[in-house]
Amino acid sequence: MKIIVPMAGRGSRLRPHTLTVPKPLIPVAGKPIVHRLVEDIAGVLNQPIDEVAFIIHESFGKQVENELIAIAQKLGAKGTIYYQNEALGTGHAIMCAKDSLKGPAVIAYADTLIRADFDLDTSADSVIWVKQVDQPEAFGVVNLNANGEIIELVEKPKEFVSDLAVIGIYYFKDVAVLKNELQSVLDNNIIHGGEYQINDGIKQMMAKGMKFVPGKVDEWMDCGNKDVTVETNTRMLGFLHHDGDELISKKVKLENATIIPPCYIGDDVVLINATVGPNVSLGKGCHVIDSTIKNSLVQTHSHIKNASLDNAMIGNHASFDGNFTSISIGDYSVLE
């Protein structure tokens, strides 16, 4: 079994956080998004993973590539790096990894997290992972026949089709079949929204009578922008706390400080005259002094003083003093 992870570019909706760190490597509850995603998919598959192929922009650099390969190796799999240097769509991104497109595989886009526990129907030609939603008109959804098989993909239906939204994770019994259909999409220049889409390859498979079934996840968490990433951090902390995971490092220095769970507190964090939580992630080496923080995500080695933060997201090596009179802020920074 393979896992194919298109990661594309750094993205703009999470700036300034994605200027130096690609979005899939931003930590949620102390672990990078893509790391959690790959682990969760492997848990659902419940079978050995031979390869994890990551499709990235070449500008991500060797350090990021090494981190991604390490994620694969932790699963006992080979890590492979492919490049998509032009944003030409989901179908194009997958085809950048065409040397790995053979045999059973899961394709998963790296800006989402899941909680799922279902038996993968490996007899089907494909399983499209879905989540029941309250407002299906805002999503791409699947249309099912009387046997519960997927017969159509419908993008943002104006009239009710189903409430099962496509979340961007797909299983293929032989991903080479999708590869052949996507090659046809590229060769015939089939473009929607200015890009080559995976859906066009899937629709061609459906037209040939291949069997598609839904796989329903329990939770679907987006990491597309700052607000939903902070919300996802909150939800993930709640799940991990409920599961009994150890979220607070033993290498934390506390002086007149209170931690209100659930929180993730990394190694070498210093809390002085501070109240942290609930729903806060503090990465390695952060210092929080004379401050209150709740419902927030702070990456690594950042220093926060004299602050009262709620629904905040702070990057790496940042310095924030709530009593600021002198400011040095880079491109795309936001103070509200």
Side-chain angles (χ1 to χ4, degrees):
M1 179 71 72
K2 298 179 181 181
I3 302 176
I4 313 294
V5 187
M7 294 172 58
R10 295 183 182 276
S12 59
R13 291 190 298 159
L14 257 175
R15 286 176 175 168
H17 303 282
T18 52
L19 291 177
T20 59
V21 179
K23 178 169 63 175
L25 289 180
I26 290 175
V28 167
K31 187 178 290 187
I33 295 166
V34 67
H35 195 159
R36 289 199 178 280
L37 174 66
V38 170
E39 284 186 344
D40 289 343
I41 290 171
V44 173
L45 297 176
N46 196 29
Q47 55 184 287
I49 308 300
D50 304 314
E51 179 184 7
V52 184
F54 301 94
I55 302 131
I56 65 173
H57 194 280
E58 203 164 6
S59 66
F60 282 14
K62 290 300 178 185
Q63 180 177 339
V64 168
E65 293 179 19
N66 291 338
E67 290 177 30
L68 293 173
I69 289 171
I71 291 171
Q73 290 174 341
K74 285 181 181 178
L75 294 174
K78 179 179 78 169
T80 310
I81 303 295
Y82 294 98
Y83 301 117
Q84 184 195 29
N85 290 329
E86 294 182 87
L88 297 179
T90 56
H92 176 266
I94 293 163
M95 290 299 287
C96 290
K98 59 185 175 182
D99 288 347
S100 293
L101 298 181
K102 51 188 174 232
V106 168
I107 294 173
Y109 296 104
D111 59 356
T112 190
L113 290 173
I114 61 163
R115 301 277 283 186
D117 183 16
F118 63 84
D119 292 327
L120 192 71
D121 184 354
T122 54
S123 69
D125 294 297
S126 177
V127 179
I128 298 178
W129 298 23
V130 296
K131 174 70 174 72
Q132 195 168 23
V133 295
D134 293 331
Q135 296 178 302
E137 67 275 8
F139 302 92
V141 300
V142 296
N143 189 12
L144 306 181
N145 63 15
N147 295 323
E149 298 173 357
I150 299 170
I151 55 173
E152 188 181 15
L153 299 176
V154 184
E155 185 63 29
K156 297 182 179 179
K158 294 181 179 178
E159 297 192 7
F160 184 82
V161 173
S162 85
D163 58 359
L164 297 177
V166 178
I167 69 170
I169 305 177
Y170 312 81
Y171 163 79
F172 295 92
K173 183 163 65 175
D174 184 1
V175 75
V177 178
L178 176 69
K179 173 184 175 181
N180 292 337
E181 299 302 337
L182 288 178
Q183 188 63 58
S184 171
V185 168
L186 295 177
D187 291 344
N188 291 286
N189 202 34
I190 300 172
I191 293 175
H192 288 98
E195 297 180 335
Y196 300 101
Q197 305 290 354
I198 185 177
N199 280 1
D200 289 310
I202 289 173
K203 288 174 182 178
Q204 291 180 181
M205 291 176 66
M206 288 180 176
K208 294 178 178 178
M210 296 182 181
K211 179 181 176 182
F212 284 73
V213 299
K216 297 180 183 178
V217 302
D218 302 314
E219 298 287 345
W220 173 31
M221 294 161 280
D222 188 17
C223 299
N225 60 41
K226 171 257 180 180
D227 285 337
V228 297
T229 302
V230 171
E231 178 186 349
T232 290
N233 181 68
T234 293
R235 292 172 66 189
M236 185 60 69
L237 286 171
F239 295 137
L240 298 175
H241 181 71
H242 181 266
D243 292 346
D245 287 22
E246 186 64 53
L247 298 175
I248 298 175
S249 170
K250 292 180 170 52
K251 299 179 182 178
V252 176
K253 179 181 177 182
L254 303 177
E255 293 184 15
N256 191 32
T258 301
I259 299 173
I260 304 171
C263 286
Y264 169 83
I265 311 292
D267 289 346
D268 305 319
V269 168
V270 176
L271 305 178
I272 300 174
N273 299 326
T275 299
V276 173
N279 307 318
V280 172
S281 288
L282 295 176
K284 179 178 180 179
C286 286
H287 288 214
V288 179
I289 301 170
D290 298 325
S291 297
T292 299
I293 306 177
K294 60 183 177 180
N295 306 314
S296 296
L297 194 163
V298 183
Q299 294 188 49
T300 63
H301 302 288
S302 289
H303 287 224
I304 299 168
K305 293 174 59 178
N306 305 313
S308 180
L309 300 178
D310 186 2
N311 190 36
M313 187 168 174
I314 295 175
N316 299 285
H317 300 278
S319 180
F320 180 81
D321 188 331
N323 293 332
F324 56 81
T325 56
S326 175
I327 301 176
S328 177
I329 296 175
D331 295 348
Y332 303 101
S333 294
V334 178
L335 294 175
E336 295 179 326

